[in-house]
């Protein structure tokens, strides 16, 4: 078998190259085997990543068992929770592109033959998927796995419990002693935060895309089963190399349809509407918001997992995990079962005989929570190019809402007003100039949504932004409004008191102003000066596309 790595190690002229490989401790036997890159995003900052060295070591064991030589290298990883609600969040989404670029640089420079990606948290999973699609050599994913839910006073809790408790304290519904207890117990150890937030959604979708072994999205981080899965992934990448099975053979348009179907069934994070298009973009696969909405229209919502309910990822794993979700969807032909996967078998073969072990966690296809999926795309004069909402986490009384706008030009100003008790029942909080260009970086805003929920306003108030929300957000939180304010979207000219109409079942987001009034206001509007004028973010703001296109860097 001719190897890519032969370009860097075979022949007389490559003696210096071999000498350098020997300097890292490799023997001639190891050099002559396929060189497998193990891309490890471990660090000591992110709870989802503090244990990834153990996962990567298991991967390397698997690679060696199957006859390859593993070589580990690192990439960055940002914790959205720690970066939340301060300038650090501007860097989170932007880090996705750096992750993809850094992997491309390492792989192409060193001519690896195949890759095992070891991600876990929000932007790392899509960044690695983008790199896999771009580089297109045999690749498999194995994540670090989800965190277990914490327990406090007899209740299961998670990170969102802490965010919402802050709002409850501000509203006088909880004292600081109880908040301190929740803070201590909500995040009990390593792993990606325990609900169907962005990290776990994306790890589940790697299974649906066919890029990870069954169980990747749901086996808890602390289980020995996760280490065994990593060893199997290391062994399986050698089979992918032998068969020349590459990401673009697996992540086809049909695979993206499967990912969307699973996303809708799970009620996954709204951030998938940014990440799946970005991955598809790397291979020139068409992917727009209409595709998302069509998937939502035809796919029932089968799961309600935190923040939509007290159920956590460990409960989903016990119920059969993503294979059980896909098996339910396959009963009514909502999954393409003939697509290839990294197991070497088709998706249909992977889920053959899989049972739904807990119908209370994964509803049977005949008894869904709703006939439509967890996400919805809204359009209207306030969002001509679309906006996204996690409708499965919206209270029924807020699926339709009309109320006066309360307008803020940054997240900080909105949070100050919410925490200060200045938001009234019925208000529609508008946070703008937080989009990909305007932020820059399209900050994720879990603090304002959690504060609204914690203060008991999620049944009466809505929140709209050209930024984005955490997968942990719940309530009538509508994000990704496109075009964004910085690019002259209608959201830029909204004023306090304007009536905004939300109709999630009807997929409408409307500003109750005449076309003449909108036109008049735009005549007096000009985009503000960029908030950041140096460093990576300044470059990102100049190059990034609209959220409706996945907030990708246009490279062509």
């Amino acid at each position: 078998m001719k190897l890519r790595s032969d370009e860097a190690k075979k022949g007389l002229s490559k003696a210096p190259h071999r000498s350098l490989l020997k300097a890292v401790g490799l023997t001639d036997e190891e050099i002559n085997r396929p060189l497998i890159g193990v891309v490890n995003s471990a660090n000591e900052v992110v709870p989802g990543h503090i244990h990834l060295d153990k996962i990567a070591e298991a991967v390397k064991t698997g690679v060696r068992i199957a006859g390859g030589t593993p070589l580990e290298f690192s990439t960055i990883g940002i914790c959205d929770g720690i970066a939340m609600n301060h300038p650090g969040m501007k860097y989170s989404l932007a880090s996705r592109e750096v992750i993809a670029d850094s992997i491309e640089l390492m792989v192409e420079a060193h001519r690896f033959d195949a890759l095992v990606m070891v991600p876990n948290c929000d932007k790392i999973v899509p960044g690695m998927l983008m790199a896999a699609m771009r580089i297109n050599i045999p690749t498999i994913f194995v994540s670090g796995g989800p965190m277990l839910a914490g327990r406090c006073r007899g209740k299961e809790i998670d990170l969102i419990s802490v965010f919402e408790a802050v709002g409850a304290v501000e509203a006088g519904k909880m004292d600081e002693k109880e908040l301190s207890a929740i803070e201590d117990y909500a995040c009990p150890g390593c792993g990606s935060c325990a609900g169907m937030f962005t990290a776990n959604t994306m790890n589940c979708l790697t299974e649906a895309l066919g890029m990870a072994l069954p169980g990747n999205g749901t086996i808890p981080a602390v289980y020995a089963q996760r280490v065994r899965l990593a060893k199997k992934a290391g062994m399986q990448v050698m089979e992918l190399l032998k068969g020349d099975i590459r990401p673009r053979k697996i992540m086809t348009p049909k695979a993206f349809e499967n990912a969307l179907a699973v996303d809708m069934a799970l009620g996954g994070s709204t951030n998938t509407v940014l990440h799946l298009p970005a991955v598809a973009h790397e291979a020139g696969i068409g992917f727009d918001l209409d595709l998302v909405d069509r998937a939502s229209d035809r796919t029932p919502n089968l799961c309600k997992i935190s923040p939509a309910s007290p159920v956590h990822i460990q409960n989903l794993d016990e119920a059969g995990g993503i294979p059980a979700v896909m098996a339910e969807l396959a009963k009514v032909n909502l999954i393409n079962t003939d697509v290839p996967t990294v197991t070497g078998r088709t998706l249909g073969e992977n889920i053959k005989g899989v049972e739904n072990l807990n119908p209370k966690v994964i509803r049977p296809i005949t008894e869904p929570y709703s006939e439509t999926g967890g996400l919805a795309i809204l359009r209207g004069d306030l969002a001509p190019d679309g906006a996204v909402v996690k409708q499965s986490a919206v209270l029924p009384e807020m699926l339709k809402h009309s109320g006066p706008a309360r307008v803020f030009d940054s997240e900080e100003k909105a949070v100050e007003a919410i925490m200060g008790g200045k938001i009234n029942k019925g208000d529609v909080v508008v946070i703008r100039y937080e989009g990909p260009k305007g932020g820059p970086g399209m900050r994720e805003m879990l603090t304002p949504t959690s504060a609204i929920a914690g203060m008991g306003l999620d049944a009466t108030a809505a929140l709209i932004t050209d930024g984005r929300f955490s997968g942990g957000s719940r309530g009538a939180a509508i994000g990704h409004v496109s075009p964004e304010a910085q690019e002259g979207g209608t959201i830029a000219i909204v004023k306090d008191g304007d009536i905004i109409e939300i109709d999630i079942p009807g997929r409408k987001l409307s500003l109750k102003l005449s076309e003449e009034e909108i036109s008049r206001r735009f005549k007096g509007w000009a985009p503000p000066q960029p908030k950041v004028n140096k460093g990576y973010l300044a470059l990102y703001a100049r190059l990034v596309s609209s959220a409706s296109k996945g907030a990708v860097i246009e490279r062509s």
Side-chain angles (χ1 to χ4, degrees):
M1 174 173 58
K2 182 171 174 56
L3 299 171
R4 268 171 48 111
S5 61
D6 288 348
E7 299 170 24
K9 68 185 186 186
K10 289 286 187 181
L12 184 66
S13 65
K14 299 303 188 294
H17 305 62
R18 292 191 295 274
S19 181
L20 289 166
L21 289 171
K22 289 177 180 180
V24 302
L26 296 186
T27 64
D28 285 322
E29 292 81 2
E30 288 173 304
I31 292 170
N32 287 330
R33 294 171 185 161
L35 301 184
I36 310 301
V38 178
V39 190
N40 186 0
S41 56
N43 61 51
E44 295 182 348
V45 182
V46 186
H49 292 236
I50 56 172
H51 65 306
L52 292 189
D53 282 346
K54 184 176 183 179
I55 301 299
E57 198 55 49
V59 166
K60 290 187 283 185
T61 298
V63 170
R64 293 187 186 107
I65 288 170
T69 296
L71 292 170
E72 181 182 339
F73 64 91
S74 62
T75 187
I76 62 171
I78 288 174
C79 177
D80 279 16
I82 298 172
M84 194 74 64
N85 191 228
H86 57 77
M89 181 47 75
K90 295 177 184 289
Y91 293 85
S92 175
L93 181 59
S95 74
R96 185 186 69 181
E97 317 304 314
V98 175
I99 291 163
D101 291 349
S102 66
I103 295 169
E104 176 193 356
L105 293 170
M106 284 294 290
V107 172
E108 297 295 13
H110 298 106
R111 313 311 293 162
F112 288 107
D113 298 304
L115 298 171
V116 183
M117 302 287 195
V118 186
N120 212 24
C121 291
D122 295 29
K123 308 310 163 297
I124 299 90
V125 183
M128 288 187 176
L129 283 167
M130 290 164 67
M133 191 72 109
R134 186 187 305 173
I135 300 163
N136 199 35
I137 62 174
T139 302
I140 193 169
F141 278 66
V142 57
S143 78
M147 187 185 291
L148 293 175
R151 289 192 69 82
C152 184
R153 302 187 181 188
K155 288 177 57 179
E156 284 195 346
I157 58 173
D158 55 40
L159 179 66
I160 305 309
S161 307
V162 191
F163 274 96
E164 294 188 359
V166 172
V169 171
E170 290 286 351
K173 298 181 177 182
M174 181 185 293
D175 61 33
E176 292 192 35
K177 184 178 179 181
E178 185 176 350
L179 170 61
S180 181
I182 292 171
E183 175 186 329
D184 286 346
Y185 289 103
C187 299
C190 66
S192 46
C193 297
M196 192 52 73
F197 317 144
T198 307
N200 288 325
T201 302
M202 289 305 303
N203 282 322
C204 289
L205 296 193
T206 58
E207 286 190 52
L209 284 168
M211 290 298 294
L213 298 176
N216 181 66
T218 59
I219 297 171
V222 296
Y223 285 11
Q225 189 181 355
R226 173 64 55 179
V227 177
R228 297 196 297 272
L229 185 75
K231 290 178 180 177
K232 289 178 182 177
M235 290 186 276
Q236 188 59 27
V237 78
M238 297 302 295
E239 295 300 315
L240 297 176
L241 179 59
K242 289 175 188 175
D244 194 30
I245 301 172
R246 305 178 182 224
R248 292 190 188 189
K249 290 182 180 178
I250 295 172
M251 289 191 283
T252 62
K254 281 187 174 183
F256 281 99
E257 289 175 5
N258 286 347
L260 281 173
V262 171
D263 196 9
M264 299 304 163
L266 292 174
S269 166
T270 53
N271 283 314
T272 58
V273 179
L274 290 172
H275 299 325
L276 289 176
V279 178
H281 177 78
E282 294 290 343
I285 295 173
F287 192 115
D288 59 26
L289 295 185
D290 289 337
L291 190 65
V292 177
D293 216 30
R294 287 197 296 273
S296 183
D297 281 344
R298 67 174 177 261
T299 312
N301 179 216
L302 303 181
C303 302
K304 282 192 180 291
I305 298 168
S306 177
S309 84
V311 174
H312 290 92
I313 301 296
Q314 66 207 62
N315 308 122
L316 178 60
D317 186 61
E318 292 161 6
I322 302 308
V325 174
M326 292 193 289
E328 289 290 345
L329 294 172
K331 291 176 182 178
V332 290
N333 299 317
L334 287 172
I335 286 285
N336 299 302
T337 56
D338 59 342
V339 295
T341 71
V342 292
T343 65
R345 303 184 297 273
T346 65
L347 188 146
E349 291 170 329
N350 288 346
I351 64 175
K352 186 176 181 180
V354 169
E355 294 181 41
N356 179 356
L357 302 177
N358 190 342
K360 292 182 179 179
V361 174
I362 305 170
R363 285 276 185 96
I365 196 69
T366 54
E367 301 174 33
Y369 284 103
S370 67
E371 295 295 334
T372 56
L375 302 182
I377 304 301
L378 311 184
R379 296 183 189 272
D381 51 15
L382 192 52
D385 294 343
V388 62
V389 63
K390 187 187 239 189
Q391 61 179 345
S392 59
V394 179
L395 292 171
E397 55 266 42
M398 288 300 292
L399 290 171
K400 290 187 176 184
H401 179 75
S402 181
R406 295 293 308 282
V407 183
F408 304 93
D409 286 350
S410 72
E411 179 188 2
E412 287 86 353
K413 291 177 181 177
V415 169
E416 183 181 346
I418 295 167
M419 295 294 199
K422 297 178 181 178
I423 301 303
N424 301 313
K425 292 182 178 181
D427 284 350
V428 179
V429 177
V430 176
I431 306 176
R432 63 190 178 193
Y433 297 108
E434 290 286 4
K437 289 183 181 293
M442 201 179 184
R443 283 196 287 182
E444 185 174 277
M445 289 180 271
L446 180 57
T447 298
T449 58
S450 297
I452 284 174
M455 297 173 82
L457 289 169
D458 55 322
T460 57
L463 201 157
I464 294 173
T465 182
D466 54 6
R468 61 193 180 91
F469 295 116
S470 164
S473 292
R474 65 184 175 97
I478 299 165
H480 307 201
V481 169
S482 300
E484 63 174 289
Q486 189 73 24
E487 291 201 302
T490 309
I491 192 173
I493 53 86
V494 179
K495 294 181 178 179
D496 278 353
D498 289 346
I499 300 300
I500 292 175
E501 193 169 276
I502 300 164
D503 181 358
I504 294 173
R507 303 295 196 262
K508 295 289 186 183
L509 183 61
S510 304
L511 178 64
K512 307 312 285 183
L513 291 178
S514 67
E515 291 184 12
E516 292 77 15
E517 176 60 15
I518 292 173
S519 178
R520 186 190 68 77
R521 290 189 188 183
F522 266 121
K523 288 178 182 177
W525 175 86
Q529 290 298 307
K531 294 177 184 175
V532 178
N533 294 299
K534 62 181 180 180
Y536 175 68
L537 273 186
L539 176 65
Y540 178 84
R542 289 200 297 272
L543 299 177
V544 69
S545 74
S546 166
S548 64
K549 296 180 180 180
V552 298
I553 298 294
E554 300 285 6
R555 298 171 185 271
S556 59

